[in-house]
Amino acid sequence: MDDPTLPLVGLSPVCGKRVDARFDGGLLSSDGGILLLREIEQRLHVADRMAACIKDPRKPDQITHRLADIIRFRLMMIAAGYEDGNDASSLRGDPMFKMALDLAPSDRELCSQPTISRLENLPNTRALLRMGRTMVDLYCESFRQVPKRIILDIDDTFDAVHGGQQLRLFNAHYDEYGFQPIVVFDGEGRFITAVLRPAKRPGGKEIRAFLRRLLRAIRANWPRTQILLRGDSHYCCPEVIDWCRAGGHDFILGVAPTSTLRRHIGDLETSTAARFEAAPDDGKARRFKEFYDGAKSWTRVERIIARVEVGEQGPDTRFVVTNLKKGTPRRLYEQLYCRRGQAENHIKSWKTHLAADRTSCTRATANQLRLFLHAGSYWLMWGLRTAMPKRSIWRRVQFDTLRLRLIKIAARVVELKTMIRIHWPTACPNQKITRIALARIPRLLT
């Protein structure tokens, strides 16, 4: 075993002076900012909510690590960039992670990787359904007041797998085996839910059943809030449109171009192309048109908005369908529908910055739990970003930048008899925003 008191060899002198480096610094951590996430988790109670959905089969008198503590440790790990459960073996003795779980640095170690793996394989389908409703409750309780209207952005994302996982399916478009979970955010970037499913385009009946369960859970909290469903052409199905109309929900969905729809905008494309050719230096020419039409599978005609754009690469026409009666075509398309693209950035934050594509478990239930665990970490990072001043750049930074600047801070921990003293670097460049965030977290999160 390496002796931490021995100096490291191989370091070159600096300014003619010998460099003596040893691993004897005491209680140090490279994740000093994890205490910021602890304050957010204490107000959102993400771990306690998720743990309450799982039945613990262990004997109470023989439990060292409660389910809530295991989940809380896992959420903190993911948020800090440790998406692999194996990292628990080296982090279980980290003083900052111990403090994030309300333990003193000198207390027992946190749970190990095998304990986390047993947790992932513990919940059954019923427990996961309860957890899905809990995630919706968490979303609803994140508002100070009941909103008059919310926007639900529904989308799916491909998740490649490399093993014999349940529900995996070959997707010819991506030329890989994988999953294609459905993910829902609201217009402000709050995470609502995610459902693991095979890597294929969802059908109308599947989407309708999913939306029925989701909106039933939202209505249980907000019976009178108006809901607008927003999505791309994958979700423009007759079952979805009819269900939205029957339930009194608004929708604005992309529509795949067809010959029937193009007949309405042939003249508009020609005139728009002529306008661009007359003044190419003015940039792309964009025009809008609305009309009523419908596919053969639709039960009625709907309001269709066409956006025709012509540039150097030729015409580009897009269609959306909506049951909204107010608003000009330009406003509905540019100010409402196009903002749906922000959901792709939220998926990026969840999937790339928080590694939500780590669905490598064999059982589908374990992989579904992993989606929820990464969703819980998303809530912690979203809460930290929301605590920033509205007009500051910190309110728009990506999660990986937030982690690098505010969580990955070196810290020395000194445990005294009546206090625990944390020493952060004097040269830390983000001292001011850290103070601001700690002062604002109690006010912004409920």
Side-chain angles (χ1 to χ4, degrees), residues 181-245:
I182 295 178
V183 190
V184 181
F185 296 86
D186 80 342
E188 300 297 325
R190 294 177 174 87
F191 198 102
I192 301 178
T193 192
V195 175
L196 188 75
R197 53 181 305 281
K200 62 180 181 179
R201 179 174 176 173
K205 293 182 179 179
E206 179 185 359
I207 299 171
R208 181 179 59 188
F210 168 76
L211 290 175
R212 183 184 294 115
R213 291 191 299 269
L214 173 61
L215 268 66
R216 184 185 298 127
I218 295 177
R219 288 296 186 203
N221 292 274
W222 300 330
R224 297 183 179 180
T225 298
Q226 184 61 37
I227 298 175
L228 171 65
L229 181 66
R230 187 166 58 183
D232 60 16
S233 58
H234 284 188
Y235 300 91
C236 183
C237 308
E239 295 88 350
V240 174
I241 294 176
D242 292 342
W243 179 82
C244 287
R245 283 197 171 277

Side-chain angles (χ1 to χ4, degrees), residues 13 43 53 79 87 142 161 168 172 215 233 238 269 345 367 420 441:
R43 286 159 178 80
C53 302
D87 294 322
S142 67
V161 299
R168 73 166 190 154
L215 268 66
S233 58
E269 285 184 335
N345 293 329
N367 286 323
I420 300 174
I441 286 174

Side-chain angles (χ1 to χ4, degrees), residues 271-443:
S271 61
T272 306
R275 177 177 295 185
F276 172 76
E277 293 174 358
D281 295 337
D282 294 341
K284 295 181 179 179
R286 172 179 286 193
R287 300 177 70 185
F288 294 86
K289 181 180 180 179
E290 68 170 292
F291 54 90
Y292 285 83
D293 205 336
K296 292 182 179 180
S297 58
W298 295 3
T299 58
R300 53 170 291 172
V301 296
E302 300 287 352
R303 184 186 183 187
I304 308 291
I305 295 174
R307 188 271 287 160
V308 177
E309 185 176 82
V310 179
E312 295 180 354
Q313 298 179 351
D316 178 29
T317 302
R318 304 294 176 89
F319 298 94
V320 297
V321 57
T322 181
N323 63 343
L324 296 173
K325 298 179 180 179
K326 297 181 180 180
T328 63
R330 177 181 291 273
R331 179 184 175 277
L332 289 178
Y333 184 85
E334 293 182 342
Q335 301 298 322
L336 187 59
Y337 178 74
C338 284
R339 293 186 179 181
R340 182 198 64 82
Q342 190 65 22
E344 297 180 4
N345 293 329
H346 304 325
I347 291 177
K348 176 184 177 182
S349 299
W350 176 64
K351 182 179 177 181
T352 303
H353 302 156
L354 297 177
D357 56 352
R358 282 300 188 97
T359 49
S360 56
C361 295
T362 301
R363 300 174 59 186
T365 52
N367 286 323
Q368 177 63 64
L369 176 60
R370 284 193 174 190
L371 294 185
F372 285 147
L373 289 173
H374 289 266
S377 295
Y378 180 98
W379 270 105
L380 299 185
M381 297 299 290
W382 183 88
L384 179 58
R385 187 169 62 186
T386 305
M388 301 300 168
K390 287 186 177 181
R391 297 184 180 180
S392 69
I393 61 172
W394 295 95
R395 199 64 176 264
R396 302 185 300 274
V397 298
Q398 297 184 144
F399 284 173
D400 57 345
T401 302
L402 208 60
R403 176 194 297 137
L404 181 64
R405 300 291 184 86
L406 297 182
I407 297 178
K408 293 297 183 180
I409 303 176
R412 181 164 64 93
V413 182
V414 179
E415 184 177 358
L416 305 176
K417 184 176 181 180
T418 59
M419 74 170 64
I420 300 174
R421 182 171 292 160
I422 301 174
H423 299 270
W424 281 329
T426 305
C428 179
N430 302 305
Q431 300 179 35
K432 183 177 180 180
I433 195 62
T434 301
R435 296 177 185 274
I436 293 175
L438 283 173
R440 293 171 62 93
I441 286 174
R443 296 190 285 118

